[in-house]
Amino acid sequence: MSTVTLNTKGKVAYLSLNRAEKYNALTQAMWQAIADACDTLAQERSIRVLVLKAEGQKAFCAGADIQELHDMLANPDAFSASNHIVQEAQQKLAALPFATIAQINGVCVGGGMGLAMCCDFRIAVEEASFAITPAKPGLLYSLADTQRLVNLVGLPRAKELLYLGKKIDTHTALDWGLLSQVVERAHLSEATDALVKKILGVSGYSVSGTKRALAYLCDMPNNEALDNKAALQQLFDDAFHTEDFIEGAAAFTQKRPARFD
């Protein structure tokens, strides 16, 4: 099985990290595969939700592959090139024009945190743990990653995580706003499916437009989705003429659930 796979089921796409024996640690090839998968998804107009998940019971993602990281730390040019691939993959994931869910089944560290924070929702099992540790080898978290973290947890807590490389549990992560939901492991798939169903029950146009507006307001660096204010205003104006709005308005007046395509 490939270390990164993309599958679709109706309007839902599933992007999976398949390296459980290495705690789903990310190689450069895996980052490139994630970027390529996001390119594919961005062109799939039928997709309404992406679920990002990982194989195994111990880790969602333990960060960078240790051997590759060791080799790159001795070669600054190689490290810089690798970081470009990482940032490109995360940027493309964050910019997908539909809702995204990180299904976190265990340890979530470094690049795993970067991936999870690019998603709109994060559901984690109770045993999961979280840390961002570039300060330990004397590195920096990227500007885009840092901005996402601050947007989620606020400046004081971001400093605590980044300065200290502090490890936190799921209940702390939930309290800090890093997670959307914490569930027992046996209910992880069920909770994810329930959220997917809720997303599919609302307007895809609204979700896509709102996602762009929120990204603009949060001023995410280097995000291609942040066209400009005029484009976002046009999205707002166009919403009144979409099939989603016609159906949503009809459902409201007829007192029935809306049926969005």
Side-chain angles (χ1 to χ4, degrees):
M1 179 185 291
S2 174
T3 53
V4 176
T5 54
L6 175 64
N7 297 291
T8 60
K9 184 178 180 181
K11 299 174 184 179
V12 185
Y14 297 88
L15 184 60
S16 180
L17 308 179
N18 306 314
R19 205 177 178 220
E21 73 282 1
K22 295 291 185 180
Y23 287 70
N24 294 306
L26 293 159
T27 63
Q28 292 183 74
M30 290 173 72
W31 280 113
Q32 186 61 61
I34 292 168
D36 293 343
C38 288
D39 285 339
T40 298
L41 289 168
Q43 302 303 315
E44 294 288 341
R45 300 182 65 86
S46 63
I47 297 299
R48 292 277 312 279
V49 187
L50 168 68
V51 176
L52 175 62
K53 61 195 187 87
E55 291 298 310
Q57 299 288 311
K58 295 182 179 180
F60 173 72
C61 176
D65 179 82
I66 296 298
Q67 185 57 54
E68 272 198 357
L69 181 61
H70 182 271
D71 294 342
M72 286 187 294
L73 287 174
N75 186 340
D77 290 338
F79 193 89
S80 178
S82 174
N83 185 62
H84 176 76
I85 295 172
V86 172
Q87 294 306 307
E88 182 180 63
Q90 292 187 172
Q91 177 181 323
K92 289 179 176 181
L93 176 59
L96 286 173
F98 42 76
T100 53
I101 303 168
Q103 182 179 284
I104 302 169
N105 58 323
V107 172
C108 184
V109 178
M113 282 280 286
L115 283 175
M117 290 192 299
C118 286
C119 294
D120 300 308
F121 301 95
R122 286 158 295 280
I123 301 175
V125 296
E126 292 181 336
E127 304 93 324
S129 59
F130 306 84
I132 304 171
T133 58
K136 292 187 176 181
L139 299 173
L140 297 177
Y141 216 33
S142 76
L143 183 60
D145 284 317
T146 302
Q147 181 69 67
R148 292 185 188 104
L149 180 64
V150 171
N151 287 343
L152 287 170
V153 305
L155 184 58
R157 286 168 174 165
K159 288 180 178 179
E160 193 169 349
L161 288 167
L162 292 172
Y163 289 8
L164 308 177
K166 181 176 180 176
K167 179 180 176 181
I168 60 174
D169 61 20
T170 50
H171 298 288
T172 301
L174 182 65
D175 182 59
W176 286 11
L178 192 59
L179 296 177
S180 310
Q181 191 176 356
V182 175
V183 298
E184 295 179 3
R185 184 174 298 277
H187 300 307
L188 181 58
S189 294
E190 179 185 347
T192 304
D193 291 344
L195 180 54
V196 167
K197 184 176 181 180
K198 288 179 181 179
I199 295 168
L200 293 179
V202 299
S203 164
Y205 183 94
S206 294
V207 170
S208 180
T210 299
K211 183 169 182 174
R212 291 179 64 185
L214 290 172
Y216 176 85
L217 292 171
C218 290
D219 193 27
M220 300 288 278
N222 302 317
N223 190 331
E224 293 177 0
L226 315 183
D227 296 326
N228 53 54
K229 206 170 185 177
L232 290 171
Q233 182 61 46
Q234 190 63 51
L235 275 175
F236 178 84
D237 294 339
D238 290 348
F240 295 97
H241 307 284
T242 65
E243 292 183 2
D244 276 6
F245 177 70
I246 293 171
E247 167 59 16
F252 179 79
T253 57
Q254 296 167 20
K255 298 182 179 179
R256 62 169 174 80
R259 296 183 291 272
F260 296 113
D261 293 329

